[in-house]
Amino acid sequence: MTISTYLELKTAIQDWSKRKDSLSMIDNFIDLAESDIWVNLNVRDMEVRATAAAPTSGRFMALPDGFLIMRRLKMVSGSDYFDLEYRAPDSLIIQNTAGRPATFTVTRELVFDRTPDSAYTTEMQYYRSLTPLSASNSTNAVLTRFPTVYLYGALFHFAQWAHDDLLLQKYSQLFDEAIKRANKIDRRGRHGPSPAMRIEGSTP
């Protein structure tokens, strides 16, 4: 069975659950699965780059919609690029004078170590959640590339709803494996195949 659209996913969940009384809950299972997916999945289809002017009135800047994890943060001044280093919220050392920020952290917003002294351009590379599947948004890159992530994630929540401990254990494991497989495939795609080992010396 091909699973590449929202309707095909709903049909597959219905078929795999073998429970006609779950039909009215399938949208909820998919919504709950998506919440789990965005927490655990890190693939390039979720990675975006955005630019914005840094604030000059304070150290705080709103995060982009759907923000999940920061991969890289730069500040641009003319033709110069400056990488900012991440610090845990409790480890960020605050500077009382304005200047070019050197470090940052992430809470419910982006926090710099000092107030920028100019409207530098910030360039963010980050992971974001994709638009939720629905009747009006029938597919996305994750469903297209990794349909079992959605299928097993939704069936895990079906098993919770059905109070079926055996299925819960089964689909929890399958969902975790699907997430790990997708992340592994994506990492391999970023770096390419491993270089071949070259053995020096004569062949016996």
Side-chain angles (χ1 to χ4, degrees), residues 12-203:
I13 296 167
Q14 176 68 42
D15 291 345
W16 282 55
S17 72
K18 298 180 174 64
R19 289 275 298 265
K20 292 183 179 180
D21 59 341
S22 69
L23 183 60
S24 64
M25 295 294 296
I26 288 179
D27 287 339
N28 291 331
F29 299 154
I30 295 173
D31 290 344
L32 291 168
E34 285 185 319
S35 296
D36 296 334
I37 289 168
W38 308 141
V39 170
N40 296 286
L41 190 67
N42 295 309
V43 294
R44 59 182 177 271
D45 307 284
M46 298 164 57
E47 189 173 341
V48 294
R49 183 177 68 88
T51 58
T56 56
S57 58
R59 298 185 295 106
F60 306 96
M61 182 174 174
L63 292 169
D65 291 341
F67 176 90
L68 294 171
I69 303 171
M70 187 73 77
R71 276 182 56 79
R72 189 175 186 181
L73 179 62
K74 299 179 182 178
M75 281 194 166
V76 184
S77 178
S79 59
D80 296 323
Y81 288 76
F82 307 93
D83 280 300
L84 275 67
E85 294 185 6
Y86 173 79
R87 295 286 187 271
D90 293 341
S91 301
L92 186 69
I93 299 175
I94 307 303
Q95 307 294 330
N96 294 322
T97 57
R100 179 173 59 81
T103 58
F104 74 98
T105 194
V106 178
T107 57
R108 61 184 179 87
E109 54 196 342
L110 188 60
V111 184
F112 300 113
D113 61 336
R114 67 197 312 162
T115 298
D117 60 352
S118 178
Y120 300 103
T121 298
T122 62
E123 182 179 302
M124 290 178 275
Q125 289 178 263
Y126 64 96
Y127 288 113
R128 65 175 176 87
S129 57
L130 303 186
T131 302
L133 294 177
S134 66
S136 59
N137 183 51
S138 64
T139 193
N140 62 36
V142 172
L143 181 63
T144 299
R145 292 183 65 202
F146 310 110
T148 55
V149 168
Y150 264 101
L151 177 62
Y152 295 146
L155 287 169
F156 167 74
H157 287 286
F158 155 74
Q160 286 186 311
W161 170 81
H163 300 287
D164 189 319
D165 290 340
L166 290 177
L167 286 180
L168 186 64
Q169 181 177 359
K170 172 184 176 180
Y171 288 122
S172 175
Q173 181 176 349
L174 287 172
F175 179 56
D176 287 345
E177 290 174 354
I179 289 283
K180 290 177 182 177
R181 188 183 309 113
N183 286 337
K184 182 178 180 180
I185 289 171
D186 194 77
R187 286 194 299 271
R188 186 184 303 154
R190 289 177 185 273
H191 302 294
S194 299
M197 181 180 293
R198 183 177 179 181
I199 302 175
E200 300 291 343
S202 60
T203 303

